[in-house]
Amino acid sequence: MEKRRVANEPAFLLHRRPYTESSVLIDLFSRHHGRIVLIAKGARKLKSRWRGSLLPFQPLIAAWSGRGEVKTVTGIEGEGPSCGLRGKALYCGYYMNELVLRLLHRFDPHEDVFDNYANALALLSTEEDQERVLRIFEKQLLRDLGYGMHLVRDADRGNPIDPGERYRYRPDAGPLPYSDTDHHGVSVHGATLLALEEEVEFDERTRRESKRLIRSVLDYHLGGQALRTRIVYGQMFPPESGRNRLTGS
Amino acid sequence: MSESHSIDRLRQALKRLPGVGPKTAQRMAFHLLERDREGARLLAEAINDAADSVKHCVRCNNFSETETCAICTSPKREAGLLCVVETPADLETIEQAGAYTGLYFVLMGYLSPLDGIGPDELAISRLLLILDEYPVTEVILATNLTVEGQATADYLADQFSSREIVISRLARGVPAGGELEYMDSNTLNQAFADRRAIH
């Protein structure tokens, strides 16, 4: 079998872990080859030229070779400055990484997801409404992977969504007209579904409802396995009580 | 499949070591049994002994056989300086370099959301108790200069912000013997950002 070489590939690093004495195993999200696992040999050594480039949230140009499941890095460098995520934005970035790691199969290219990911990262460092950036990325991700949400017509008769009406959104079906007797799915207003579709500014209710809505859809596709970054985010930024919980006192 | 239960158990146990896969574990197991029974017994004894007797130092959280470790009890160390590191290996490296004379605190990890490691999984609440209890005047955040290490430092700095102590971070930039031509752009940019006047 021919040894496959790839060069000059735009990519982001999703995750890294130490491997053997001085190497690093990395999960890379590349534009044309999708998610791949590579070994960066000797990358933890002091003299490695790659050391400063193996960082998440930074546009990279990567090259690799190999025919197995795990490729070998032959070159990797930063392209342009890092997105510089700090504070909450950083943990939003990790959350996006976990979604990509969990929902994309290896070697399954998704250029659209890649471009949306790059765009969302850039927005996270500048835009104040980080939740909206995440919701739109999640919506696009689900759509690009073929799990698109139904946001303009109800799943019952295909009637247009009415912004003033309430619906019950079922992850397996879509929005159904609200009824008091049916407790399946998440209760949302039509306005929330349309705001997600049109990607307009979010008001407080849209923010709250869209979070619960997309969470239920994601959980459905993740097969009920909890997202680690979501748990850690909860520890770092507890909803109300300020810092008491964090200090453990 | 027809192999003995003991060999299989040994192989499974060796596989728990970081960086050891099934092949390596098998090689290790066969080496110990074929060529070095004595070494195998020594290894078993040493592991048993360490697993029973090594605890965490109540002050710096590093591994220690005594309640308080040798560094923490040494009168020669500056008690006002506290250097926070990620791992015992980091502490060892700083000790070998020899220039630091203060005390330490070992977090035993770093914030890593993708691995499910948040503040609750690190010894952060203990670190805060140490700051309450001892006369620390400066905390040096010596976590790694990775994104995760920086996030850990940011989080700690935020936790300490209400206290009257100096919080510092290790300097970063061009390493000793470094040639600019071969420097990656992140390091070089940081070296410019953190440059200092020489007079």
Side-chain angles (χ1 to χ4, degrees):
Chain A
M1 205 198 291
E2 188 195 352
K3 196 166 185 181
R4 187 90 195 270
R5 283 180 186 279
V6 175
N8 282 330
E9 173 68 7
F12 283 97
L13 185 139
L14 296 172
H15 194 33
R16 54 177 281 175
R17 51 196 162 262
Y19 183 72
T20 67
E21 190 85 345
S22 61
S23 299
V24 182
L25 208 54
I26 58 176
D27 272 290
L28 214 58
F29 182 25
S30 68
R31 191 162 191 277
H32 303 103
H33 301 268
R35 192 165 76 71
I36 30 174
V37 177
L38 305 115
I39 173 166
K41 285 185 183 154
R44 294 167 73 205
K45 282 188 194 151
L46 202 57
K47 276 192 274 180
S48 171
R49 286 182 71 177
W50 300 336
R51 223 167 29 128
S53 304
L54 294 176
L55 299 173
F57 316 123
Q58 143 135 36
L60 302 169
I61 293 288
W64 64 83
S65 69
R67 42 192 135 162
E69 283 270 295
V70 178
K71 313 291 183 192
T72 305
V73 175
T74 53
I76 197 160
E77 57 186 291
E79 192 206 27
S82 150
C83 293
L85 301 182
R86 299 292 278 266
K88 278 191 182 179
L90 177 63
Y91 296 91
C92 294
Y94 280 123
Y95 171 73
M96 284 177 25
N97 283 7
E98 188 169 21
L99 285 182
V100 172
L101 280 167
R102 295 275 298 273
L103 288 169
L104 258 69
H105 295 290
R106 278 201 214 172
F107 309 116
D108 184 12
H110 277 285
E111 292 178 27
D112 34 15
V113 177
F114 184 89
D115 295 340
N116 292 333
Y117 173 89
N119 188 32
L121 273 190
L123 282 176
L124 273 183
S125 55
T126 52
E127 188 165 334
E128 296 212 341
D129 193 348
Q130 291 156 354
E131 284 193 40
R132 181 172 164 276
V133 176
L134 287 185
R135 292 303 88 78
I136 290 172
F137 172 71
E138 291 164 333
K139 180 197 82 168
Q140 293 166 336
L141 176 65
L142 286 165
R143 181 193 61 207
D144 297 337
L145 297 179
Y147 306 133
M149 296 172 69
H150 303 272
L151 300 168
V152 285
R153 290 184 179 279
D154 76 32
D156 184 31
R157 290 162 186 266
N159 289 331
I161 295 291
D162 179 344
E165 284 295 318
R166 283 170 73 195
Y167 295 86
R168 283 206 163 272
Y169 196 103
R170 289 176 48 166
D172 56 339
L176 294 164
Y178 190 85
S179 92
D180 283 332
T181 49
D182 182 6
H183 296 290
H184 294 288
V186 177
S187 156
V188 284
H189 285 83
T192 299
L193 300 174
L194 293 172
L196 264 175
E197 169 67 23
E198 288 154 18
E199 303 179 9
V200 292
E201 297 281 306
F202 283 11
D203 60 22
E204 196 43 49
R205 189 182 73 189
T206 308
R207 185 166 296 128
R208 199 176 57 237
E209 286 189 352
S210 61
K211 186 173 180 173
R212 277 186 37 226
L213 168 68
I214 298 196
R215 180 175 285 208
S216 76
V217 177
L218 282 172
D219 286 348
Y220 175 77
H221 293 297
L222 289 167
Q225 257 192 323
L227 287 165
R228 289 168 162 179
T229 48
R230 198 185 272 162
I231 297 168
V232 170
Y233 188 92
Q235 283 183 23
M236 307 281 300
F237 309 103
E240 299 133 51
S241 64
R243 292 192 184 143
N244 294 347
R245 242 199 87 219
L246 296 187
T247 59
S249 53
Chain B
M1 302 305 130
S2 58
E3 254 170 33
S4 87
H5 174 65
S6 302
I7 296 178
D8 195 46
R9 225 180 120 206
L10 176 58
R11 238 184 346 209
Q12 294 301 331
L14 288 168
K15 238 172 70 183
R16 298 177 79 126
L17 290 167
V20 176
K23 270 262 151 47
T24 313
Q26 172 158 308
R27 210 170 52 236
M28 287 175 172
F30 287 165
H31 170 83
L32 289 172
L33 295 172
E34 239 176 79
R35 314 212 178 275
D36 198 3
R37 293 271 168 148
E38 179 55 28
R41 288 198 184 91
L42 258 169
L43 185 66
E45 225 173 89
I47 291 176
N48 242 328
D49 188 39
D52 286 340
S53 64
V54 176
K55 302 179 279 274
H56 289 277
C57 166
V58 291
R59 173 134 192 210
C60 71
N61 199 37
N62 195 10
F63 293 128
S64 169
E65 282 187 65
T66 48
E67 199 177 88
T68 315
C69 75
I71 294 178
C72 289
T73 45
S74 165
K76 289 187 190 148
R77 312 292 298 205
E78 279 178 69
L81 278 180
L82 189 75
C83 175
V84 180
V85 294
E86 292 177 6
T87 62
D90 295 339
L91 186 152
E92 279 307 317
T93 310
I94 298 175
E95 277 302 287
Q96 278 163 21
Y100 178 69
T101 53
L103 297 171
Y104 291 95
F105 188 85
V106 186
L107 291 170
M108 293 289 171
Y110 52 85
L111 291 178
S112 179
L114 280 168
D115 298 308
I117 298 173
D120 293 1
E121 282 72 28
L122 300 179
I124 290 172
S125 52
R126 249 172 90 184
L127 171 56
L128 291 166
L129 287 179
I130 296 291
L131 293 184
D132 287 338
E133 239 174 277
Y134 296 94
V136 176
T137 52
E138 177 174 353
V139 174
I140 303 164
L141 298 173
T143 52
N144 284 334
L145 289 166
T146 55
V147 173
E148 288 82 3
Q150 185 58 42
T152 311
D154 284 348
Y155 178 78
L156 290 175
D158 192 45
Q159 296 293 301
F160 304 155
S161 58
S162 60
R163 293 164 191 261
E164 289 199 359
I165 44 175
V166 177
I167 303 161
S168 57
R169 181 90 174 103
L170 286 189
R172 48 188 157 174
V174 184
E179 293 180 45
L180 296 196
E181 186 188 345
Y182 296 107
M183 213 58 52
D184 67 273
S185 52
N186 273 329
T187 306
L188 206 50
N189 287 341
Q190 203 60 53
F192 270 95
D194 290 357
R195 72 184 186 277
R196 65 154 92 174
I198 44 180
H199 62 183

